[in-house]
Amino acid sequence: GKPVALNQVRKSYNGTGILKNISLDISAGRFCTFLGASGSGKSTLLKIIAGFEYADSGEISIGGRNMAQVPARRRNIGMVFQNYALFPNMSVARNIAFGLETRRVSRNETRARVNEMLEIIGLSGFGDRLPSELSGGQQQRVALARAMVIRPDVLLMDEPLGALDRVIRQSLQTQIKDIQRSFGITILFVTHDQEEALHMSDDVVIMRDGMIEQIGSPQDLYARP
Ligand code: ADP
Ligand code: ADP
């Protein structure tokens, strides 16, 4: 993974400030969680890092490289959303392979990497199924595999476990942490769930009204005397 740096990032929609002067340094390989009320700007921040939206001012760099002139498709970023967003008419394997199709990766290499990801997420043998034949937790594991198969610099996850029940959430939390460790990937993770933030994160950023209200390790933020 690569480090992510935001410097004085501002964004408004129709004159309303949504992100107000956000500066933040996330080191390579860290698990950084964004917590905060709905509407506090968490998704907007991820979209700007992904290049789906542009900041009005300020800088974003990934691996020390300024992203200002780099469109979304040229940023080496993986994304996972709450609703999985798999292609319903493509097999699980094709969904995972999709990210590699626009890159110069040979057929053999694609097959090998798809198989490797299927194994990592515990879905070997499910490559020919359709997403609708899988459970929610399994579909989200496919979405995770699709994001990771490109070996991204950064993995952005916007409430990825929000639609899943408690038991499945816990097993996915473990799986995401395992993937973070084995790939050394930098993860930016949005959640509403404090307990989830506490369990998973190296750094927690608490957002409020477009600003960073607090930032620290889970221990710093929660171990109150
Ligand atoms: P969060 O992820 O913390 O819930 P968001 O980043 O989704 O917050 O939204 C922050 C604010 O920006 C909200 O008030 C939302 O209505 C507004 N907003 C987000 N996207 C747009 C958009 N494309 N146009 C106008 N307002 C938007
Ligand atoms: P193709 O006809 O090009 O092999 P598919 O649509 O069947 O295309 O698959 C797309 C990609 O997914 C291919 O690169 C293939 O290597 C990979 N793939 C397809 N099925 C599987 C599977 N069951 N296990 C692993 N990889 C698969």
Side-chain angles (χ1 to χ4, degrees):
K2 294 199 171 153
V4 177
L6 307 175
N7 184 27
Q8 301 193 330
V9 169
R10 293 171 201 271
K11 174 76 176 173
S12 31
Y13 290 116
N14 313 315
T16 304
I18 301 298
L19 296 175
K20 303 167 184 168
N21 200 17
I22 302 282
S23 297
L24 180 64
D25 276 302
I26 302 161
S27 309
R30 299 288 280 186
F31 195 113
C32 179
T33 296
F34 294 83
L35 262 178
S38 178
S40 58
K42 306 181 298 295
S43 296
T44 301
L45 194 58
L46 291 198
K47 283 180 203 156
I48 286 175
I49 294 168
F52 299 151
E53 298 274 357
Y54 285 88
D56 299 333
S57 62
E59 285 119 48
I60 290 134
S61 73
I62 298 175
R65 182 174 171 216
N66 188 333
M67 291 289 117
Q69 305 299 327
V70 183
R73 71 194 144 74
R74 310 258 331 273
R75 299 184 189 191
N76 197 32
I77 286 178
M79 280 207 85
V80 175
F81 306 93
Q82 181 169 356
N83 61 1
Y84 325 132
L86 298 173
F87 301 111
N89 300 322
M90 292 185 192
S91 69
V92 162
R94 280 212 66 212
N95 265 280
I96 297 172
F98 189 79
L100 295 172
E101 283 176 3
T102 55
R103 291 155 202 254
R104 268 175 268 130
V105 179
S106 71
R107 276 174 140 257
N108 283 344
E109 169 83 10
T110 297
R111 180 164 280 272
R113 277 164 73 165
V114 169
N115 278 324
E116 177 198 43
M117 290 313 306
L118 284 169
E119 203 166 303
I120 288 171
I121 60 168
L123 290 176
S124 294
F126 286 71
D128 294 328
R129 307 270 186 105
L130 286 173
S132 58
E133 298 176 280
L134 306 186
S135 70
Q138 289 173 330
Q139 289 186 52
Q140 196 56 305
R141 278 145 65 191
V142 174
L144 183 59
R146 185 180 59 183
M148 288 305 299
V149 76
I150 63 166
R151 316 240 159 106
D153 297 330
V154 184
L155 177 61
L156 305 179
M157 307 185 92
D158 196 348
E159 299 231 26
L161 309 183
L164 302 170
D165 72 40
R166 197 177 143 73
V167 175
I168 311 245
R169 272 177 98 106
Q170 285 171 348
S171 86
L172 262 141
Q173 286 172 1
T174 305
Q175 197 149 36
I176 292 167
K177 288 302 288 180
D178 288 347
I179 283 177
Q180 186 210 359
R181 287 193 200 98
S182 56
F183 286 81
I185 180 79
T186 311
I187 299 184
L188 278 58
F189 186 92
V190 168
T191 182
H192 273 109
D193 184 337
Q194 288 196 23
E195 200 181 327
E196 190 164 277
L198 183 61
H199 277 125
M200 300 186 76
S201 319
D202 299 313
D203 308 305
V204 180
V205 176
I206 300 181
M207 301 277 300
R208 184 176 175 176
D209 194 21
M211 292 181 284
I212 294 176
E213 183 173 61
Q214 272 200 68
I215 178 164
S217 69
Q219 293 78 1
D220 293 340
L221 296 181
Y222 295 117
R224 296 248 165 72

